[in-house]
C-alpha cells in the first residue's frame, strides 16, 4: 500500500483531500434527527425552478446519447449574455474544472502561482497537485491585497489566482484594482479571476467599485474569468460552470478538456435557467434580505463578522469554534469550520431562507448562552 503512495506523482502525494460541507443525510444518520438545516456549502436555498425541472425532464429521453461535446447552444447563449464571441467560452463540469484546466495549461513543477491568504482552498490544491509552488500573499483586512500580490510575482510565476468575491471571507476587490494588477504584472503571467459569486456582489451597492472582469479580457489576453451555475443559479448538483478568455486560451482549454465533460441535463438546465431571469433575481433578492437578517442577528449577539458580498458570512466565535460548530450540529444546524483557511476562530454560515436563518440564529443564541 505504501509503495502505491510512493508511486504517485509528487504533486498528488502531498495532497490532502478537499473537505466538503457535511451532507444532511450523514448528520441525520449520526444523530437520528430530522429537519436539519444545511448552511455549509453556499448553495442556493430556493427550490429548483419549474423551467429547469421541465428542461431536464424533456431532455431525459436523450440520455442514451453522449451530450453535445461542443455545448453549441449554451455557448451561443452565454456569448450573447457576456458580449463576447463563442470562441471565448469554455464550459466545464463546475467552474472548478475550468479553473483547474487553466492552471494545468500554464503551471508545472518548478513554477509558482500567487494566491492570497484566506483564498478559496481549491487553488492551493490545484497548485500542489501540479507540483508547483504557492506564493501565499498576506491578506489585508481579510481580503486580497492585489498590490502585494502583483509585487509577489517573480520569474517563476505563471499564474495568479483571484477570487472576487472571495470565499470564505466574502471580501471583494474593485475592478480598478484588478486592472492595476494586470498593468503591473508581465503579460506572460495568467490571471485567473474566479467570479463564482458575481451575481450576489453585482446587485445592490454594497460592493462599491465591484464589476465584471470580462470586459478587461480584450485588453489583457492573459486574463481568464470563471463563472458558475452552482450558486445564484441553483444548479450545484449538476456541476456546470464556464470560463471566458481570449480565443487562444479557449483553444488550449478545449484541447485539455475531456470530450464530454458536461452532461446533457446540466446543459439543458443551464440553458433554461438563463431564460429564467425571475429565478435568478429572486435568488439574489432572497440572499440580500437574508444577509441583512444574518448581520442583524450576529450584531445582536455581539459577534464580530467580516462584511460579505457573497451568499455566506464568516463570524468570529467568542470561544472554541469547533466546539460551537459541534454544538450547532447537535441542534441540527450545519455550518462550516474554516480552520484550513487559517481562520480557526471563525465559522462560515451560508445565507439560507428566512426560516433557516432563524433556525441558525436561534441555535447559535442557545449555544452561546449555554455554559460549557
Ligand atoms: C463555490 C465556488 C466555486 C464554484 O465551484 P463549482 O465547481 O462551479 O461548483 C468556485 N470558486 C469559489 C470561490 C467558490 O466558492
Amino acid at each position: 500500500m505504501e509503495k502505491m503512495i510512493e508511486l504517485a506523482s509528487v504533486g498528488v502525494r502531498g495532497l490532502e483531500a478537499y473537505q466538503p460541507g457535511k451532507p444532511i443525510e450523514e448528520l441525520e444518520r449520526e444523530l437520528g434527527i430530522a429537519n436539519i438545516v444545511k448552511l455549509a456549502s453556499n448553495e442556493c436555498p430556493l427550490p429548483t425552478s419549474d423551467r429547469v425541472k421541465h428542461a431536464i425532464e424533456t431532455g431525459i429521453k436523450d440520455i442514451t446519447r453522449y451530450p453535445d461535446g461542443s455545448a453549441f447552444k449554451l455557448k451561443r447563449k452565454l456569448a450573447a449574455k457576456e458580449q463576447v464571441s463563442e470562441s471565448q467560452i469554455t464550459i466545464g463540469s463546475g467552474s472548478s474544472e475550468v479553473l483547474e484546466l487553466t492552471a494545468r495549461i500554464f503551471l508545472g513543477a518548478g513554477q509558482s502561482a500567487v494566491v492570497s491568504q484566506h483564498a478559496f482552498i481549491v487553488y492551493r490544491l490545484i497548485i500542489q497537485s501540479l507540483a508547483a509552488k504557492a506564493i501565499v500573499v498576506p491578506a489585508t483586512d481579510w481580503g486580497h491585497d492585489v498590490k502585494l500580490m502583483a509585487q509577489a510575482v517573480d520569474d517563476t510565476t505563471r499564474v495568479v489566482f483571484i477570487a472576487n468575491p472571495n470565499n470564505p471571507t466574502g471580501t471583494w476587490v474593485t475592478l480598478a484594482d484588478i486592472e492595476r494588477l494586470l498593468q503591473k504584472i508581465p503579460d506572460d503571467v495568467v490571471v485567473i479571476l474566479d467570479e463564482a459569486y458575481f451575481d450576489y456582489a453585482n446587485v445592490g451597492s454594497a460592493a462599491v467599485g465591484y464589476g465584471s472582469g470580462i470586459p478587461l479580457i480584450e485588453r489583457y489576453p492573459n486574463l481568464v474569468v470563471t463563472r458558475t451555475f452552482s450558486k445564484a443559479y441553483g444548479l450545484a448538483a449538476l456541476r456546470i460552470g464556464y470560463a471566458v478568455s481570449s480565443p487562444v486560451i479557449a483553444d488550449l482549454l478545449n484541447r485539455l478538456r475531456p470530450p464530454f465533460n458536461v452532461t446533457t441535463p446540466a446543459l439543458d438546465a443551464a440553458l433554461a435557467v438563463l431564460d429564467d431571469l425571475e429565478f435568478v433575481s429572486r435568488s439574489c433578492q432572497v440572499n440580500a434580505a437574508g444577509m441583512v437578517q444574518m448581520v442583524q442577528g450576529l450584531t445582536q449577539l455581539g459577534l464580530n463578522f467580516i462584511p460579505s458580498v457573497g451568499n455566506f458570512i464568516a463570524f468570529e466565535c467568542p470561544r472554541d469554534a469547533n466546539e460551537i460548530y459541534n454544538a450547532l450540529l447537535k441542534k441540527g444546524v450545519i455550518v462550516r469550520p474554516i480552520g484550513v483557511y487559517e481562520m480557526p476562530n471563525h465559522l462560515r454560515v451560508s445565507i439560507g431562507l428566512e426560516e433557516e436563518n432563524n433556525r441558525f440564529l436561534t441555535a447559535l443564541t442557545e449555544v452561546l448562552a449555554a455554559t460549557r
Side-chain angles (χ1 to χ4, degrees):
M1 284 310 276
E2 279 67 35
K3 171 113 186 292
M4 277 299 161
I5 290 172
E6 293 306 312
L7 289 172
S9 71
V10 186
V12 175
R13 221 181 298 155
L15 278 180
E16 273 182 50
Y18 176 81
Q19 294 292 331
K22 200 186 225 350
I24 291 177
E25 292 75 18
E26 193 178 315
L27 187 63
E28 266 172 4
R29 272 198 307 274
E30 281 173 17
L31 296 184
I33 56 175
N35 198 15
I36 286 166
V37 171
K38 184 187 176 201
L39 299 173
S41 299
N42 302 344
E43 294 144 332
C44 173
L46 295 176
T48 309
S49 95
D50 286 339
R51 286 171 92 135
V52 164
K53 274 192 213 160
H54 181 73
I56 294 173
E57 279 160 16
T58 309
I60 286 277
K61 64 180 188 333
D62 295 325
I63 61 169
T64 51
R65 308 281 174 194
Y66 279 108
D68 172 14
S70 71
F72 177 78
K73 283 193 235 161
L74 183 58
K75 278 192 196 171
R76 192 174 53 187
K77 197 168 212 94
L78 286 172
K81 174 174 183 274
E82 308 297 356
Q83 306 200 339
V84 295
S85 119
E86 285 149 49
S87 64
Q88 295 181 259
I89 294 179
T90 307
I91 312 291
S93 174
S95 59
S96 330
E97 186 183 48
V98 283
L99 286 168
E100 175 162 6
L101 292 176
T102 309
R104 274 176 64 197
I105 293 172
F106 297 104
L107 196 58
Q111 299 174 329
S112 69
V114 170
V115 291
S116 172
Q117 183 189 16
H118 312 308
F120 189 40
I121 203 74
V122 165
Y123 310 150
R124 289 217 227 172
L125 299 181
I126 294 171
I127 298 164
Q128 159 99 57
S129 76
L130 297 168
K133 185 180 130 194
I135 299 177
V136 183
V137 176
T140 298
D141 295 332
W142 302 105
H144 288 35
D145 188 326
V146 280
K147 206 168 161 188
L148 283 185
M149 290 177 79
Q151 285 166 10
V153 169
D154 68 23
D155 291 347
T156 65
T157 306
R158 291 291 168 273
V159 170
V160 175
F161 283 98
I162 299 174
N164 200 30
N166 182 46
N167 168 18
T169 58
T171 51
W172 78 96
V173 178
T174 66
L175 196 56
D177 278 345
I178 287 171
E179 180 152 17
R180 272 191 276 277
L181 172 123
L182 287 160
Q183 277 164 355
K184 254 184 235 153
I185 65 168
D187 60 8
D188 59 1
V189 174
V190 170
V191 175
I192 303 180
L193 179 58
D194 176 354
E195 295 185 340
Y197 300 96
F198 173 80
D199 296 271
Y200 302 114
N202 202 40
V203 294
S205 56
V208 179
Y210 183 81
S212 164
I214 292 173
L216 292 174
I217 294 170
E218 216 179 327
R219 273 176 293 139
Y220 302 94
N222 54 327
L223 175 64
V224 178
V225 178
T226 62
R227 296 275 183 88
T228 184
F229 286 98
S230 299
K231 308 285 160 61
Y233 291 80
L235 302 181
L238 292 173
R239 314 302 307 124
I240 183 160
Y242 58 100
V244 186
S245 67
S246 70
V248 177
I249 293 182
D251 171 51
L252 292 166
L253 281 167
N254 199 40
R255 296 182 200 187
L256 196 54
R257 175 182 72 83
F260 301 107
N261 59 332
V262 180
T263 67
T264 301
L267 291 168
D268 290 345
L271 276 167
V273 79
L274 285 173
D275 279 335
D276 200 343
L277 296 180
E278 199 268 334
F279 178 87
V280 181
S281 82
R282 196 153 46 90
S283 170
C284 292
Q285 277 164 22
V286 165
N287 185 65
M291 184 64 85
V292 170
Q293 185 188 357
M294 287 292 205
V295 163
Q296 276 173 358
L298 293 170
T299 305
Q300 266 166 25
L301 286 167
L303 298 177
N304 291 323
F305 55 84
I306 306 171
S308 166
V309 295
N311 67 340
F312 54 87
I313 186 164
F315 62 94
E316 198 179 325
C317 296
R319 53 176 203 259
D320 186 67
N322 264 315
E323 182 202 320
I324 292 176
Y325 165 71
N326 283 311
L328 289 171
L329 279 185
K330 291 206 182 97
K331 293 183 181 289
V333 177
I334 314 176
V335 298
R336 188 68 158 263
I338 44 179
V340 294
Y341 290 91
E342 292 178 54
M343 298 172 72
N345 302 320
H346 284 77
L347 291 172
R348 188 195 70 196
V349 59
S350 306
I351 308 301
L353 299 173
E354 187 180 356
E355 54 273 28
E356 294 174 320
N357 302 334
N358 275 333
R359 274 279 304 279
F360 160 74
L361 289 167
T362 305
L364 183 61
T365 306
E366 290 165 5
V367 166
L368 293 178
T371 48
R372 280 178 281 173

